[in-house]
Amino acid sequence: MILKPSRADVKLIAWAIGRVILGVGLIMLVPLLVSVACSEWNVVLDFLIGIVACVLFWLVTENTCRTEKDLRWFHGLIVASAGWLTAMVFGAIPHYLSGHFKSFLDACFDLMSGYTTTGLYLLQDLDHCSHGLNMWRHLLTYAGGQGIIVIALTFLFAGTAGAFKIYVSEGKEEKLLPNVINTARAIWMISLSYLVVGSAFLWAALVKEGMPLGRGFLHAMWLFMGAWSTGGFAPQSLNLLYYHSLTVELITLVIFVIGSFNFALHYSVWTGDVKEIYRNVETRSFTFTLMLTTLLLSLGFGKIGVFGSLMEFFRKGFYNLVSGHTTTGNSTIYSVSFYRDFGPLAMWAIILAMAIGASACSTGGGFKGLRMGILYRYFRSELRRLASPERAVVAEKIHHIRDIWLEDAMIKGTLFILLCYVLVYFAGGIMGILFGYEPSVAFFDAVSAGSNTGLSAGLTSPLMPTAMKVYYIFAMWAGRLEFMSVIALLSFFGALVRGRRGR
């Protein structure tokens, strides 16, 4: 029997979402200050309207829904999934008011893409965007990479015992420290430290290439945010191709590979356990799948005779492959080149890399290296079991920060999440084909959206069908939250309609 959520449950969820939206409003202060500094007064007004809307929503929920009740697992799942949708709507206000979007739906698309670190966008005339709006776009993806719930936990949920429930509900299952609030703050400390160092390297490279100091500083910071968060946003419509700089490409490649690693791995290395890099199942899995997809990419290029020199292969092929594997979306080629120049085998090598994706508890999306490692060990144990005597006990373990023995529940959970991703990829691909797109293009962009990558073969644009925009928003949202919170939200609405009242 499904129990109908009580009035207290609904109020508690609304109160927590109000805090998340206040966090969104506070983040808007950064692009607001940038707009003031650049005398972009229309943009200042856009962000003031957005901030006022966020604060009003928070005031209403804070004064009408505050309760002494603490969050439970179910509440946490609903807060994470509904909180992301609500944050999308409020965050889209400055986007829509900027005049760069065909509709409010297009603005919501870009917001969800930013929060989920996907990188697909429908914004028009990107090359003439204001500095304030560009700061907002890149800050979205930088903040979204850590998780907007992590932001709220860091500043707005201090002392709440139920905080761990909503932290886990955002697709992060690991605590770096015993206290979840301190874990959220440690994630921010790691990200901010890399922001300073990475931006400095990019700034020096851009200035060396001839960009003015001020513009170079902004571009360096935005490129870092896009690469580190594996979001792939860039301030120019040509993305990394705009800079024509091998140095900038090398620096961003290093940044998004590091950014795709598990925050728990970062913390282990920071605290002196450097050997964890070589022992961790996710780095081993990433190395193997990167070698496999690189081989497929090479065979694909060799078959049709393109990008024959080593430098061309690295800059046009390998860079985009690693960008896809880390679910970043930074690109050094035109979107249509994936379809026109790469050939079927090379194109599907990148689709496979995007589908597998980055590490768990990172800024990336896709299946995740941890699950690929578990899947490999599971199949290996089954083969060993078949080759062993009937009474033999066959056990497998993986190393992720510590040795973990595989259990049935872990394997079932892994297979369930993998199945969900496959269904999302497949449904998006079929939808694209039904709307008349070439199959490889339809699956390329569908996998890119579902794995939160951001590379496009030319399908994603303001002219794409409305139904596909809505589906891609769903795919980006569900893929980033890894489905459990989304399923819980659907169950919540079902229980509100059909559930029975508890005694």
Side-chain angles (χ1 to χ4, degrees):
M1 181 180 69
I2 301 174
L3 290 179
K4 193 182 189 78
S6 68
R7 185 182 178 85
D9 290 325
V10 176
K11 287 177 67 175
L12 180 61
I13 291 167
W15 169 80
I17 291 176
R19 293 254 170 147
V20 173
I21 299 306
L22 176 62
V24 173
L26 292 175
I27 298 173
M28 285 186 194
L29 289 172
V30 177
L32 175 71
L33 292 174
V34 171
S35 304
V36 170
C38 298
S39 303
E40 297 170 337
W41 303 116
N42 288 336
V43 184
V44 169
L45 184 60
D46 296 344
F47 281 104
L48 281 175
I49 293 171
I51 291 169
V52 169
C54 291
V55 171
L56 284 176
F57 182 84
W58 167 69
L59 284 173
V60 170
T61 55
E62 191 74 13
N63 287 295
T64 60
C65 301
R66 189 175 181 84
T67 171
E68 297 302 318
K69 196 173 178 180
D70 203 1
L71 294 160
R72 292 183 287 114
W73 285 110
F74 183 67
H75 300 129
L77 290 167
I78 305 303
V79 170
S81 51
W84 277 64
L85 289 178
T86 314
M88 173 189 73
V89 172
F90 280 90
I93 293 173
H95 263 52
Y96 182 62
L97 294 176
S98 71
H100 283 276
F101 291 88
K102 183 180 171 185
S103 66
F104 191 72
L105 177 65
D106 286 12
C108 286
F109 183 102
D110 277 32
L111 254 293
M112 186 55 80
S113 179
Y115 284 145
T116 57
T117 72
T118 302
L120 296 170
Y121 68 92
L122 303 180
L123 183 147
Q124 301 183 54
D125 197 16
L126 173 59
D127 296 333
H128 297 95
C129 247
S130 64
H131 291 316
L133 187 61
N134 250 325
M135 176 58 82
W136 180 226
R137 295 176 67 239
H138 291 86
L139 200 56
L140 279 176
T141 195
Y142 183 65
Q146 327 324 313
I148 56 176
I149 297 299
V150 169
I151 297 171
L153 285 173
T154 307
F155 302 106
L156 305 172
F157 279 85
T160 304
F164 182 62
K165 280 78 173 178
I166 54 176
Y167 169 79
V168 173
S169 303
E170 202 176 36
K172 291 181 170 61
E173 300 176 358
E174 298 171 51
K175 287 199 297 183
L176 313 187
L177 296 165
N179 183 300
V180 70
I181 305 294
N182 290 335
T183 295
R185 289 171 181 165
I187 289 175
W188 271 103
M189 181 191 71
I190 292 169
S191 297
L192 290 171
S193 301
Y194 277 113
L195 172 65
V196 173
V197 177
S199 297
F201 275 100
L202 283 168
W203 190 16
L206 291 171
V207 171
K208 184 175 179 297
E209 295 288 347
M211 192 171 276
L213 279 175
R215 188 161 180 253
F217 174 75
L218 288 174
H219 276 236
M221 190 165 48
W222 294 335
L223 286 177
F224 174 85
M225 289 177 175
W228 167 258
S229 65
T230 65
F233 278 155
Q236 302 292 150
S237 58
L238 292 179
N239 208 277
L240 266 289
L241 181 61
Y242 172 80
Y243 302 97
H244 288 290
S245 168
L246 176 63
T247 309
V248 172
E249 290 164 17
L250 286 171
I251 295 172
T252 51
L253 188 144
V254 171
I255 291 170
F256 57 64
V257 168
I258 295 174
S260 74
F261 289 159
N262 195 307
F263 280 114
L265 175 61
H266 281 290
Y267 192 75
S268 293
V269 174
W270 275 49
T271 51
D273 187 8
V274 181
K275 290 182 179 177
E276 182 63 27
I277 295 175
Y278 311 106
R279 299 171 62 200
N280 195 284
V281 66
E282 292 197 289
T283 49
R284 291 186 174 191
S285 169
F286 177 79
T287 303
F288 174 77
T289 52
L290 181 61
M291 290 170 63
L292 174 66
T293 49
T294 302
L295 176 63
L296 293 175
L297 188 77
S298 308
L299 292 174
F301 285 167
K303 191 175 180 181
I304 60 175
V306 296
F307 306 132
S309 74
L310 187 60
M311 186 57 71
E312 269 190 323
F313 177 80
F314 178 81
R315 297 185 69 178
K316 305 297 182 187
F318 186 73
Y319 182 94
N320 292 293
L321 177 74
V322 180
S323 176
H325 202 332
T326 56
T327 70
T328 303
N330 280 141
S331 178
T332 56
I333 59 173
Y334 296 104
S335 294
V336 292
S337 295
F338 286 115
Y339 174 59
R340 292 180 181 172
D341 302 334
F342 271 43
L345 184 56
M347 194 171 176
W348 278 93
I350 294 187
I351 293 174
L352 177 62
M354 291 193 295
I356 294 170
S359 299
C361 195
S362 72
T363 62
F367 295 156
K368 308 286 190 315
L370 181 60
R371 296 195 182 97
M372 297 306 294
I374 291 173
L375 197 63
Y376 165 71
R377 293 285 182 167
Y378 167 66
F379 284 125
R380 195 174 80 165
S381 70
E382 288 301 301
L383 290 175
R384 288 178 59 198
R385 187 171 286 115
L386 288 173
S388 303
E390 190 174 340
R391 293 185 178 180
V393 177
V394 178
E396 284 280 0
K397 64 181 178 181
I398 58 170
H399 181 82
H400 177 56
I401 310 303
R402 65 184 193 284
D403 288 340
I404 304 170
W405 291 100
L406 294 190
E407 297 175 352
D408 286 346
M410 183 190 300
I411 295 166
K412 287 178 182 175
T414 296
L415 292 174
F416 176 74
I417 298 296
L418 288 176
L419 178 63
C420 289
Y421 274 113
V422 170
L423 288 175
V424 166
Y425 297 158
F426 185 73
I430 294 298
M431 180 181 278
I433 293 170
L434 292 176
F435 274 106
Y437 292 97
E438 203 279 333
S440 55
V441 172
F443 275 100
F444 191 99
D445 279 41
V447 172
S448 180
S451 64
N452 306 126
T453 301
L455 292 175
S456 172
L459 186 158
T460 304
S461 80
L463 300 177
M464 67 191 289
T466 300
M468 292 198 68
K469 293 176 183 175
V470 174
Y471 182 78
Y472 276 24
I473 289 175
F474 165 78
M476 292 187 284
W477 171 62
R480 182 69 172 85
L481 294 178
E482 301 193 336
F483 307 105
M484 297 307 296
S485 300
V486 176
I487 294 170
L489 182 62
L490 296 176
S491 303
F492 177 77
F493 285 123
L496 278 176
V497 176
R498 300 183 60 186
R500 295 184 180 180
R501 292 186 181 280
R503 294 179 180 177

